[in-house]
Amino acid sequence: MIASKDQPPTALVTGASAGIGAAIARGLAERGLRLILVARGLERLEAVAASLPETAEPLCLAMDLSTAEGASELLATVADREIDILVNNAGGAPHKSFLETEPNDVEGLMQLNMATPSLLMHGLIPRMKARRKGRILNVASMGAFHPVPGLAQYGAAKAYLLMLTEALNEELRGSGISLTVLCPGITRTDLVAELPLEELPEMLVQSPEYVAQAGIEALFAQEVVCVPGRLNQAALAAAKLPPRPVLRALGGLFQRWTQQGT
């Protein structure tokens, strides 16, 4: 652990009310961490909190992180707490193509997927540096590695998070702080609830618990990039071979498949 013997470490987990975020919260609680859980819906957050061991002492904060005010409010709320681990899991994908998405929603998705994680790191890393200890887990996607037609803004945002994590980890080398970016493939979460997942081989669809466990292990091992599952790792390796026009075309095929479920 990275906290003192007198006090268990504290982890701040955004998007903790369901899916990968809730699974990460449970996994960290099992390791003895105290938790601050953040999401929009208080009722779902409290349900997650009720499933955790008492040692987690969960604090539930209902905040909208798709606004700059939400990110600032969160930083102000935890200003008097030592945050040992930050998990930037809150994120979202548009329900329409980029050009069909309303301007306010475009801005909100940029805030949620890029600006809020950036602001939270910008606010918490200096405090971690002063204590010379801290770990950050940013939840991105396999979509960070290549164009994602139909989810163009989502893929671009995750690519930003991937690059920011890698760069900051290098900048902070020797500071006592490590950053890890988790890049799962298709995972059974609310984000893909409308996709025809039953048409895919079972081995291609991962559970939130599997993804969360991989991310937590990578976080404590101080791995910089974590791609859960051998099939995803093989797909990533194969994706480095074709030229980018081929990758874009393959992305187009994926887009047409996803539209079958809408």
Side-chain angles (χ1 to χ4, degrees), residues 26-51:
R26 295 189 183 98
L28 292 175
E30 290 173 359
R31 287 177 175 251
L33 278 76
R34 298 184 303 174
L35 295 175
I36 300 173
L37 309 178
V38 186
R40 291 183 185 180
L42 183 59
E43 185 175 346
R44 295 181 75 181
L45 270 180
E46 290 179 337
V48 173
S51 71

Side-chain angles (χ1 to χ4, degrees), residues 16-102:
S17 62
I20 296 172
I24 289 175
R26 295 189 183 98
L28 292 175
E30 290 173 359
R31 287 177 175 251
L33 278 76
R34 298 184 303 174
L35 295 175
I36 300 173
L37 309 178
V38 186
R40 291 183 185 180
L42 183 59
E43 185 175 346
R44 295 181 75 181
L45 270 180
E46 290 179 337
V48 173
S51 71
L52 302 177
E54 292 184 3
T55 53
E57 302 177 17
L59 171 64
C60 297
L61 301 176
M63 296 181 177
D64 184 0
L65 298 182
S66 66
T67 67
E69 294 76 15
S72 298
E73 181 185 1
L74 177 54
L75 284 172
T77 301
V78 301
D80 61 344
R81 295 173 177 266
E82 281 195 5
I83 305 299
D84 300 283
I85 295 175
L86 168 64
V87 180
N88 279 314
N89 171 72
H95 297 291
K96 299 178 181 179
S97 71
F98 177 72
L99 293 179
E100 294 174 335
T101 303
E102 294 296 325

Side-chain angles (χ1 to χ4, degrees), residues 45-171:
L45 270 180
E46 290 179 337
V48 173
S51 71
L52 302 177
E54 292 184 3
T55 53
E57 302 177 17
L59 171 64
C60 297
L61 301 176
M63 296 181 177
D64 184 0
L65 298 182
S66 66
T67 67
E69 294 76 15
S72 298
E73 181 185 1
L74 177 54
L75 284 172
T77 301
V78 301
D80 61 344
R81 295 173 177 266
E82 281 195 5
I83 305 299
D84 300 283
I85 295 175
L86 168 64
V87 180
N88 279 314
N89 171 72
H95 297 291
K96 299 178 181 179
S97 71
F98 177 72
L99 293 179
E100 294 174 335
T101 303
E102 294 296 325
N104 287 344
D105 293 331
V106 171
E107 186 175 0
L109 286 166
M110 291 174 66
Q111 176 69 46
L112 182 62
N113 290 323
M114 295 188 293
T116 289
S118 299
L119 290 172
L120 294 182
M121 286 188 284
H122 189 270
L124 294 178
I125 286 176
R127 292 159 54 183
M128 292 178 174
K129 285 184 70 175
R131 303 193 309 274
R132 294 196 60 81
K133 62 178 182 179
R135 290 177 184 165
I136 296 172
L137 178 63
N138 291 322
V139 180
S141 165
M142 285 284 287
F145 296 104
H146 53 76
V148 188
L151 289 173
Q153 188 181 0
Y154 177 79
K158 295 305 184 182
Y160 167 87
L161 204 54
L162 169 66
M163 297 301 171
L164 183 63
T165 302
E166 291 189 277
L168 287 178
N169 187 78
E170 190 62 29
E171 286 183 25

